[in-house]
Amino acid sequence: MLEDTSHPWNLNPLFRLCLDIYLYWDMGCSCFVHPDEQQELDTPGLSLAVHQIGHWHHPMYGSCTDLIFILGNLGRYCRQLLHSGRRSFTREALLEKQLYLWNAPSTEPTLTLLYESLRKHGLILLYRICGWNDTFTNPCLEETGLEVLIHRYALDTVNHLLQIPASSNYLNFQSLSILTAGSELRREDNKLRADVRHRLTRFVSCKSIACQPSCS
């Protein structure tokens, strides 16, 4: 689609819809694909396409396509690191900078909470999988240290997501962030741990209802 220069894809809403759905799918599964089977996503053509989309409002998740693109690349890098043990300090620093500096492009409160939870999901994943990197630039690391900051981001993420009603249409897009943040909660965070389990139960319940065959 991107290589077909006979039709400017970025002027076609259906093409933009398809590209963003692909990017969202890739973000969700990038951590799970074996490195030998991964396709490189951070290519100049696709990076340019994400830039051209800008803050176009996607029907699924609003206007955070660039954040989803960053998270897909992060997931792919983390899987490669876990598989091979080989780190790229430069790549880690770039991913951290992209996530740390990203700002929610929406004034809609629910979307802002969702975007912030996705951003901090990325930072938690980066810090937990990669560990300390002297080239990280997040000033909060100097103030609190790695473990304390991961826990703070986990608390922030859970609190952000719990402000979104369980009946919200955005419930489907909370699972990744709440799983990441919930796994970082400590024993003393009993109330939040119970809230996370309840929210995940709600999420599974909605999925079960959606998968029921119609009785027509």
Side-chain angles (χ1 to χ4, degrees):
M1 183 180 73
L2 298 179
E3 292 175 356
D4 183 4
T5 57
S6 61
H7 300 90
W9 68 269
N10 57 316
L11 299 182
N12 187 322
L14 180 59
F15 282 7
R16 286 182 287 181
L17 176 71
C18 292
L19 176 60
D20 284 6
I21 289 175
Y22 173 78
L23 291 172
Y24 188 86
W25 165 82
D26 178 82
M27 177 197 71
C29 66
S30 59
C31 291
F32 308 111
V33 179
H34 192 281
D36 292 342
E37 300 175 358
Q38 289 179 355
Q39 296 184 30
E40 184 63 35
L41 190 68
D42 194 9
T43 61
L46 202 46
S47 297
L48 178 61
V50 171
H51 177 73
Q52 289 175 319
I53 287 176
H55 291 157
W56 180 67
H57 190 91
H58 193 276
M60 288 174 58
Y61 53 74
S63 50
C64 68
T65 298
D66 51 348
L67 176 60
I68 285 173
F69 181 62
I70 296 168
L71 292 174
N73 288 321
L74 170 64
R76 202 174 342 274
Y77 173 78
C78 288
R79 177 57 193 264
Q80 291 171 353
L81 175 59
L82 290 171
H83 182 75
S84 68
R86 294 191 297 272
R87 296 181 65 177
S88 168
F89 295 104
T90 302
R91 184 71 180 276
E92 293 170 12
L94 175 61
L95 288 166
E96 190 221 26
K97 183 178 180 180
Q98 290 174 333
L99 288 168
Y100 179 73
L101 295 179
W102 191 87
N103 290 312
S106 175
T107 57
E108 203 278 303
T110 301
L111 279 179
T112 300
L113 290 170
L114 181 63
Y115 295 163
E116 186 62 9
S117 72
L118 283 170
R119 187 181 75 88
K120 287 185 174 173
H121 146 75
L123 287 169
I124 293 171
L125 186 65
L126 176 69
Y127 294 147
R128 175 57 66 210
I129 299 298
C130 299
W132 183 261
N133 184 333
D134 287 337
T135 61
F136 284 156
T137 56
N138 184 346
C140 297
L141 286 171
E142 297 182 2
E143 299 170 8
T144 62
L146 193 67
E147 289 299 325
V148 174
L149 186 59
I150 289 175
H151 185 238
R152 181 202 293 177
Y153 282 167
L155 295 176
D156 290 345
T157 299
V158 172
N159 284 317
H160 287 330
L161 293 176
L162 292 178
Q163 292 180 55
I164 302 175
S167 58
S168 169
N169 291 333
Y170 295 116
L171 178 65
N172 284 346
F173 305 107
Q174 299 177 27
S175 58
L176 192 62
S177 300
I178 207 164
L179 278 171
T180 301
S183 67
E184 295 291 344
L185 295 179
R186 298 173 179 172
R187 186 181 299 275
E188 61 267 26
D189 303 320
N190 288 330
K191 174 64 167 58
L192 286 180
R193 291 172 64 175
D195 290 339
V196 167
R197 286 193 292 268
H198 183 267
R199 180 56 60 96
L200 288 172
T201 300
R202 173 70 176 171
F203 173 75
V204 172
S205 175
C206 289
K207 286 296 185 182
S208 298
I209 293 172
C211 290
Q212 290 295 321
S214 60
C215 300
S216 57

